[in-house]
């Protein structure tokens, strides 16, 4: 994928295509790393592209900044529409985390942030001395589940969107449209909850 995108970008006369290819490159750089054999060529390609101008230069810089991140594992799901919109403006997703006392805190979540990274950021923001025993949960209309520390929050957000799209597809094919529409509307009511994990 990296090689194909680099080939498509090289000497491409269409500025619009080049911009979209760089956007795609930004999305895959944070999804998985290039192989060890390709890495030095990839970085060399990025450094050679720094002379470009405008929006493309910002995309190149994003790729350079994020190409050296050590990821424990690759992302499991495709980017959500929220992630693509955030990447177009070269920003991150601001996620709201709910506490059991009804309060909430919002923090910026980077595409490479795992649940454990977000727990540490939240702890710092609220002045929590120790994060031992604290965890993130995803809560929806039909479930509440613990998010393992090594899972990426952007994958969780993507799974919510996939679930919501599946519900909307069911609406079109179901005889009981009104009931299924209610379920689909409820599926958008997903949230992150920060609380102690009990065994």
């Amino acid at each position: 994928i990296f090689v194909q995108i680099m080939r498509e970008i090289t000497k491409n006369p269409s500025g619009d295509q080049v911009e979209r290819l760089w956007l795609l490159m930004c999305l895959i750089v944070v999804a998985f790393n290039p192989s060890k054999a390709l890495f030095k060529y990839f970085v060399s390609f990025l450094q050679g592209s720094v002379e470009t101008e405008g929006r493309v230069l910002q995309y190149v810089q994003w790729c350079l900044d994020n190409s050296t991140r050590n990821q424990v594992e690759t992302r499991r799901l495709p980017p959500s529409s929220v992630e693509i919109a955030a990447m177009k403006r070269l920003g991150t997703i601001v996620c709201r985390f709910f506490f059991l006392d009804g309060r909430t805190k919002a923090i910026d979540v980077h595409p490479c942030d795992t649940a454990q990274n977000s727990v540490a950021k939240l702890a710092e923001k609220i002045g929590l001395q120790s994060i031992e025993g604290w965890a993130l949960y995803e809560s929806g209309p039909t479930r509440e589940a613990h998010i393992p520390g090594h899972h990426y929050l952007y994958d969780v957000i993507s799974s919510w969107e996939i679930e919501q799209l599946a519900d909307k597809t069911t609406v079109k094919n179901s005889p009981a449209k009104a009931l299924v529409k209610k379920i689909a509307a409820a599926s958008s009511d997903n949230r992150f909850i920060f609380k102690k994990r009990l065994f």
Side-chain angles (χ1 to χ4, degrees), residues 2 28-29 31-35 39 66-72 74:
F2 281 102
I28 67 166
V29 145
F32 49 87
N33 293 324
S35 66
F39 182 76
N66 290 282
S67 61
T68 55
R69 280 183 169 267
N70 288 329
Q71 290 176 263
V72 179
T74 59

Side-chain angles (χ1 to χ4, degrees), residues 167-188:
D167 285 346
K168 285 181 181 176
T169 305
T170 310
V171 169
K172 292 177 184 174
N173 302 327
S174 169
K177 285 186 179 179
L179 176 64
V180 180
K181 275 185 182 178
K182 281 184 181 177
I183 295 168
S187 73
S188 64

Side-chain angles (χ1 to χ4, degrees), residues 12-95:
N12 190 328
S14 170
D16 187 44
Q17 281 182 6
V18 168
E19 192 170 319
R20 281 186 282 150
L21 286 163
W22 275 111
L23 173 62
L24 183 59
M25 185 75 86
C26 289
L27 290 165
I28 67 166
V29 145
V30 293
F32 49 87
N33 293 324
S35 66
K36 287 181 182 178
L38 178 64
F39 182 76
K40 65 181 179 181
Y41 298 105
F42 176 62
V43 171
S44 176
F45 173 78
L46 293 176
Q47 289 169 342
S49 303
V50 170
E51 296 160 8
T52 57
E53 296 176 353
R55 191 86 179 139
V56 171
L57 177 60
Q58 293 174 319
Y59 287 145
V60 172
Q61 195 57 51
W62 169 273
C63 291
L64 270 170
D65 293 344
N66 290 282
S67 61
T68 55
R69 280 183 169 267
N70 288 329
Q71 290 176 263
V72 179
E73 59 182 40
T74 59
R75 297 261 304 274
R76 296 174 183 205
L77 295 172
S80 64
S81 59
V82 178
E83 180 180 356
I84 293 169
M87 191 60 71
K88 281 182 179 175
R89 57 180 168 71
L90 289 168
T92 54
I93 298 176
V94 177
C95 292

Side-chain angles (χ1 to χ4, degrees), residues 93 95-99 104-105 109 115 122 136-139 147 152-157 160 189-195:
I93 298 176
C95 292
R96 187 166 296 283
F97 296 87
F98 292 80
F99 299 91
T104 63
K105 285 284 180 199
V109 178
L122 271 171
L136 285 181
Y137 286 76
E138 59 169 316
S139 174
I147 304 170
Y152 295 104
L153 289 193
Y154 278 39
D155 274 350
V156 176
I157 293 167
W160 293 346
D189 191 28
N190 292 300
R191 57 178 57 183
F192 291 114
I193 299 175
F194 182 65
K195 63 181 181 178

Side-chain angles (χ1 to χ4, degrees), residues 96-105 107 115-139 144-147 153 191-197:
R96 187 166 296 283
F97 296 87
F98 292 80
F99 299 91
L100 293 182
D101 63 359
R103 291 183 302 141
T104 63
K105 285 284 180 199
I107 59 169
Q116 192 61 38
N117 298 136
S118 299
V119 165
K121 283 183 181 180
L122 271 171
E124 186 181 331
K125 188 157 188 173
I126 63 173
L128 190 63
Q129 298 299 318
S130 170
I131 60 171
E132 188 177 338
W134 289 94
L136 285 181
Y137 286 76
E138 59 169 316
S139 174
E144 185 174 302
H146 168 252
I147 304 170
L153 289 193
R191 57 178 57 183
F192 291 114
I193 299 175
F194 182 65
K195 63 181 181 178
K196 278 275 192 181
R197 187 170 186 211

